[in-house]
Amino acid sequence: MPNYIHGTPDNCPDAIGANVNGTIYRACDTNPPTAEDFTSHAHSLLPRKRRRCDPTQCESWGLSVWTSEADALHAKRMHEWLGKKFIFKADVQPADGRLAQTGKDPTHHTYWRYDTVDLVTRSTLVAV
Amino acid sequence: MWHPNRPILTNWNAGEIIPRDILFEVDGPTIFTAVIGITIFLFFKRDELHDAEIFIAAPVSQHEIELLKNGRVSVRGVLSYREAWLIQTDLDYQVTKFQEHVYETIEALLPPKGLAIAAKFGTVPDSVEQAEAYLGFKFVSKSMTSRSMPLSVFKGLVDDVSNLVKSALLPHSLAKGRNNRFFDVEIREPKFASLLITISEPRFDQVGLREHEPTRHLQSASLSKEATLLGEELWSSLETTARLAEAGEIAQEIAQAHRNALKQIKTIVPSEQNDLERLELTFHRAQATQVLSIDRKIGDRLLRAERGVDGDRRSIEGTIVEINGEAHTFIIKNLAQRQTTCGLPYEIFAQMERDGLMRRGQRLRITGTFWKRTRRDYIWFDRLPEPL
């Protein structure tokens, strides 16, 4: 039975997420990305992430991602500050983690990876 | 980011900002509503700093929020044509400083034009008025501000729009005599900054129609249907010709096929001959509003296509006697001493310069669309002339 990253509440992603075959898109601060780019708010030590973290919310233990390139690039066009970031994509399989659409924004998804999965090295840059 | 001539305040006493309806999020809310006092505000995250975030916030109605959610209007549109605030908060949404703005001073910071809340909606209008109107005309020019514009410009454009609407949407059965007096449209409150004129679907004076013998048999419902079809035809033609003009000059046969639309629009498109920079047209169709943007380059190509519709295709010969580098035109004189002004695309003008053809005394054979005029004829051509 695969495990989520240490600290993730029991059954939280299992209850709302699904194992999927697909591609996830993530906004990263650096190119190439670092481990911090794929660290959730709850797991991060960065003040910016910690202050916005609600550990009682399952989403805080996962990563904000998009599931289409169009949605990711749309977000980047919409927000000038996202222009400083880099969009990376990674193909994921059921054995890698769980994905759920979360929040009222229908393009927003949360991805909870299993603790043995390395999204950093798997990710490739999306050309803009 | 912060306007240098507007006060930056720190005495925020409107309470905590609590995101209520989160419409967009990227590692946290980036577009959301919050209630301040008794007013709903839309917050748009404009920038993020190490330990702070900066938002544009503007009062909105629930109706506008629904239009935004349903992809009927852009994010920019819901923040436009109203006062707004630039607000900086810490990571707990406590306001640390803020600045009040009017539309003109915040416009440059708004999100890009045409972007809906999600990519799936495509390009959408940048104002609630355009989103809800049957047909919309948005003129952009340096002479227009949110406070004022020259009366002559305002009147001219209103008259041109009025004439276009009447000629394009008037059912044929009302075209005779004064029967067009039973046709009218309602316009919504015009918006300044750029002049925005939006109209509702045409309506017909049913009482007047019944009291007038020649129109007694006409029904509002069928007239409305006909006007709607005419509107669809107009939009379809404008879409086709504008998209072609975006790519290059419009072929004469295509211009002929769309001659009505080209004639109807010629007085309102931006061009080198007026000070309009852009015209944005919107048309409500099938539960969504379509948007067409025409800049000067496209406008000039549409006008040339329209001129070509009435012109006469021929070849003429003459010697260059005058060159106007600024307007990219030149004048030739034929053996009978008759002068013709020659209009051409800039690319051809530049090519002639490179080839050494653009010089006084050069004899040429030019093939294009020719118009006879009283003093000096005119020819428009779009391929290299033959040197003689």
Side-chain angles (χ1 to χ4, degrees):
Chain A
M1 184 79 173
N3 294 317
Y4 295 103
I5 300 172
H6 176 71
T8 305
D10 293 340
N11 299 322
C12 135
D14 291 347
I16 62 174
N19 296 119
V20 296
N21 265 317
T23 306
I24 57 172
Y25 298 79
R26 172 89 177 146
C28 299
D29 287 325
T30 56
N31 177 21
T34 64
E36 184 58 46
D37 287 314
F38 288 93
T39 299
S40 71
H41 283 198
H43 291 110
S44 176
L45 297 176
L46 291 183
R48 154 169 289 283
K49 284 184 174 178
R50 298 295 303 183
R51 294 284 279 280
R52 283 286 164 82
C53 167
D54 179 355
T56 66
Q57 294 293 317
C58 192
E59 290 91 308
S60 293
W61 298 90
L63 300 173
S64 276
V65 297
W66 296 280
T67 56
S68 83
E69 185 172 319
D71 287 339
L73 296 180
H74 182 80
K76 210 165 143 74
R77 283 182 64 204
M78 176 83 73
H79 297 93
E80 195 173 300
W81 53 273
L82 268 180
K84 304 175 217 168
K85 298 185 187 254
F86 304 89
I87 305 290
F88 279 84
K89 65 177 181 181
D91 293 328
V92 295
Q93 296 170 342
D96 295 328
R98 284 187 175 251
L99 177 78
Q101 189 278 313
T102 50
K104 287 188 182 176
D105 170 8
T107 67
H108 182 265
H109 292 72
T110 303
Y111 189 73
W112 299 267
R113 66 175 174 86
Y114 296 132
D115 59 4
T116 55
V117 174
D118 179 3
L119 291 176
V120 176
T121 54
R122 193 189 293 196
S123 296
T124 56
L125 181 69
V126 173
V128 177
Chain B
M1 178 88 59
W2 301 90
H3 198 284
N5 298 331
R6 304 185 80 87
I8 298 175
L9 306 171
T10 56
N11 56 334
W12 179 267
N13 56 11
E16 193 184 348
I17 293 172
I18 303 174
R20 189 174 79 163
D21 198 357
I22 298 171
L23 305 177
F24 203 93
E25 52 183 309
V26 182
D27 280 331
T30 62
I31 303 176
F32 58 90
T33 63
V35 176
I36 299 178
I38 57 171
T39 305
I40 303 174
F41 277 74
L42 182 74
F43 279 73
F44 170 77
K45 184 171 167 181
R46 185 57 180 74
D47 202 359
E48 67 175 17
L49 309 173
H50 173 65
D51 56 358
E53 291 184 335
I54 301 177
F55 298 92
I56 294 173
V60 296
S61 67
Q62 194 55 48
H63 174 65
E64 290 170 328
I65 295 296
E66 292 307 311
L67 289 176
L68 178 63
K69 282 181 179 176
N70 293 327
R72 297 284 311 283
V73 68
S74 68
V75 178
R76 181 187 182 93
V78 182
L79 297 167
S80 291
Y81 299 112
R82 64 199 75 198
E83 58 182 357
W85 282 260
L86 207 52
I87 299 176
Q88 181 166 314
T89 72
D90 63 20
L91 298 179
D92 295 319
Y93 293 117
Q94 299 294 326
V95 177
T96 52
K97 60 180 179 179
F98 61 103
Q99 185 179 55
E100 187 179 0
H101 284 261
V102 292
Y103 175 58
E104 270 179 318
T105 57
I106 201 92
E107 194 187 357
L109 300 178
L110 294 178
K113 296 184 172 74
L115 285 190
I117 196 73
K120 68 178 182 181
F121 295 119
T123 301
V124 295
D126 288 319
S127 72
V128 171
E129 290 77 9
Q130 287 170 297
E132 297 191 302
Y134 173 66
L135 193 52
F137 305 84
K138 183 173 167 183
F139 301 94
V140 178
S141 163
K142 285 193 173 61
S143 66
M144 299 171 184
T145 72
S146 61
R147 295 180 195 280
S148 68
M149 72 179 69
L151 174 61
S152 57
V153 170
F154 179 74
K155 182 179 182 312
L157 290 174
V158 169
D159 282 343
D160 287 339
V161 167
S162 174
N163 291 336
L164 182 154
V165 167
K166 280 184 193 158
S167 73
L169 303 183
L170 182 72
H172 300 306
S173 44
L174 294 182
K176 282 191 190 154
R178 290 185 58 242
N179 290 345
N180 58 13
R181 68 186 187 276
F182 302 120
F183 166 92
D184 206 350
V185 293
E186 295 224 325
I187 73 163
R188 297 167 177 236
E189 182 184 338
K191 285 275 193 272
F192 276 26
S194 36
L195 176 60
L196 175 59
I197 301 173
T198 53
I199 66 167
S200 302
E201 283 88 345
R203 54 191 182 85
F204 301 90
D205 178 4
Q206 188 66 61
V207 171
L209 286 167
R210 268 205 304 275
E211 289 175 354
H212 186 60
E213 170 63 35
T215 58
R216 189 164 292 163
H217 63 291
L218 297 173
Q219 297 295 319
S220 281
S222 54
L223 291 171
S224 291
K225 201 171 165 189
E226 187 181 343
T228 300
L229 284 172
L230 290 169
E232 292 271 353
E233 269 176 33
L234 171 69
W235 184 257
S236 182
S237 278
L238 291 177
E239 247 192 337
T240 301
T241 51
R243 302 245 183 269
L244 288 171
E246 198 173 9
E249 299 294 333
I250 300 174
Q252 195 176 26
E253 51 273 21
I254 295 182
Q256 284 282 3
H258 298 283
R259 60 185 299 154
N260 284 345
L262 290 172
K263 285 197 181 312
Q264 282 154 358
I265 203 173
K266 69 179 181 182
T267 58
I268 64 169
V269 292
S271 75
E272 295 293 324
Q273 312 305 320
N274 57 41
D275 74 343
L276 291 174
E277 291 172 13
R278 194 162 56 86
L279 165 65
E280 193 174 282
L281 297 167
T282 53
F283 182 62
H284 188 73
R285 176 197 246 180
Q287 307 304 321
T289 300
Q290 303 195 322
V291 183
L292 193 56
S293 189
I294 298 175
D295 60 16
R296 278 190 166 177
K297 186 173 73 173
I298 296 173
D300 278 326
R301 287 176 178 162
L302 291 172
L303 289 177
R304 285 196 287 272
E306 190 275 331
R307 284 200 291 264
V309 166
D310 285 332
D312 159 36
R313 193 102 184 132
R314 66 167 77 165
S315 292
I316 62 173
E317 292 178 9
T319 304
I320 296 179
V321 294
E322 198 176 313
I323 300 169
N324 185 336
E326 213 172 289
H328 307 128
T329 61
F330 59 93
I331 297 173
I332 62 171
K333 191 187 286 188
N334 66 11
L335 293 175
Q337 303 304 300
R338 180 81 183 159
Q339 291 190 354
T340 302
T341 301
C342 304
L344 62 163
Y346 171 72
E347 303 81 46
I348 306 292
F349 187 95
Q351 184 66 48
M352 288 179 67
E353 280 186 318
R354 286 192 294 271
D355 294 348
L357 295 177
M358 192 60 69
R359 57 182 181 84
R360 283 202 177 99
Q362 175 67 53
R363 263 187 67 75
L364 300 167
R365 179 179 295 120
I366 298 170
T367 302
T369 308
F370 180 88
W371 290 266
K372 191 102 180 89
R373 291 186 182 162
T374 310
R375 194 170 79 85
R376 189 185 290 145
D377 300 326
Y378 182 89
I379 188 166
W380 167 264
F381 65 99
D382 54 17
R383 47 185 169 167
L384 281 171
E386 185 189 337
L388 300 174

